[in-house]
Each structure stands twice: as structure tokens, then as C-alpha cells.
Amino acid sequence: MLPGQGKFGIIISRIPVMQSGLKAIIGEHLPDYELSFCRSQDELTLLQLRRAVLVIADLSGEIEHPRSICEHYYALMTQYRDIYWVFMVGNTCFPLAVQLLMRPESTLISDSEPVKRLIEVVRAEVVRQVQLGSRAGLDAHEIGRAHV
């Protein structure tokens, strides 16, 4: 893997301040990542999904059709298995999200959990990427640049 490859993330939230906050968190803990932003999963492009290794989706607050949204994300997860998915989920759709979105390549975070939990998940993603990178033949210098 060449430096800079495989370091693309997508933040999905309909709330601009949430996008800004997530951008700041990811920027601090994954500074080498390029980020893209969408207001909903319907705005995702094939190019974004093919490049992404991380998606953070905000499913907090009131969601009109939680089942269809969770089913859409489930379909994307089965199609794009190289992406690590982080779902920030509100209480109204948490049971449904557990049923459809809980997988080895995803993490569900309740919207009532502290930001510290999201940071822990992001840091775990750094470790996972470093491990994948070392298996792909990255040199020690590139691996050492990960901020854990």
C-alpha cells in the first residue's frame, strides 16, 4: 500500500455541527485521513465507497424511517466489506440497529455515550489500519506515524 492510500473516511450526518465535531475528532486522531461529508446515505457515491476504509454514520435523533435506513446500511455493509462502519445511534432505533448493523466490521455507539467512546473506537481503527498496513508491506516509518 502506498502512503496515503486507504486513508479515506466518510462522515454522514444531516446535522452540520455534528459533521464539524466529527471532523475535528477524526482530524486529531487520524490526521492522515482524507474525509468526505454527506447529509444522508443517499448522497454516497460509488467512488466514495470504493475508496473508503471508515464510515461514521450519525443515526441519532428522530429518524423518519429507521428500518429502511438500517436496511440500506446493512446492504452497503454486505457490499463493501473492507469498510469499518461506526454508527452513532439514538435510543429510538438502537434495538433495530443492533439487529441489522451489529457485525464484526462495525461498532454501534449510543448517542448518550460520551465522546470518549467515539475516540476509543477511532483509536482502535488506527491500530487496525496499522496492522493491515504491516501485512500489506508498509515500512516501519509509515507504521510508526500512526497516532495511538
Side-chain angles (χ1 to χ4, degrees), residues 5-109:
Q5 272 191 319
K7 294 184 178 184
F8 183 77
I10 304 169
I11 295 174
I12 305 167
S13 178
R14 66 186 182 283
I15 305 167
V17 73
M18 179 70 83
Q19 287 183 359
S20 296
L22 292 171
K23 177 183 178 183
I25 291 168
I26 299 306
E28 182 177 336
H29 296 280
L30 299 175
D32 294 340
Y33 272 54
E34 178 184 345
L35 296 174
S36 178
F37 301 90
C38 299
R39 291 183 50 79
S40 75
Q41 77 275 15
D42 296 329
E43 293 180 7
L44 290 170
T45 67
L46 290 175
L47 179 60
Q48 287 174 316
L49 290 166
R50 287 182 185 140
R51 291 182 61 205
V53 294
L54 174 66
V55 171
I56 300 175
D58 175 19
L59 303 178
S60 62
E62 292 299 317
I63 297 177
E64 283 191 30
H65 305 287
R67 176 165 288 281
S68 65
I69 289 172
C70 287
E71 287 173 348
H72 188 130
Y73 278 117
Y74 175 81
L76 290 173
M77 289 171 66
T78 58
Q79 191 173 6
Y80 297 94
R81 295 183 180 267
D82 292 337
I83 297 175
Y84 193 82
W85 301 81
V86 179
F87 297 99
M88 300 174 56
V89 184
N91 292 334
T92 56
C93 74
F94 202 87
L96 188 59
V98 168
Q99 177 186 354
L100 294 172
L101 304 177
M102 184 71 95
R103 302 177 62 132
E105 63 273 6
S106 67
T107 297
L108 302 181
I109 300 174

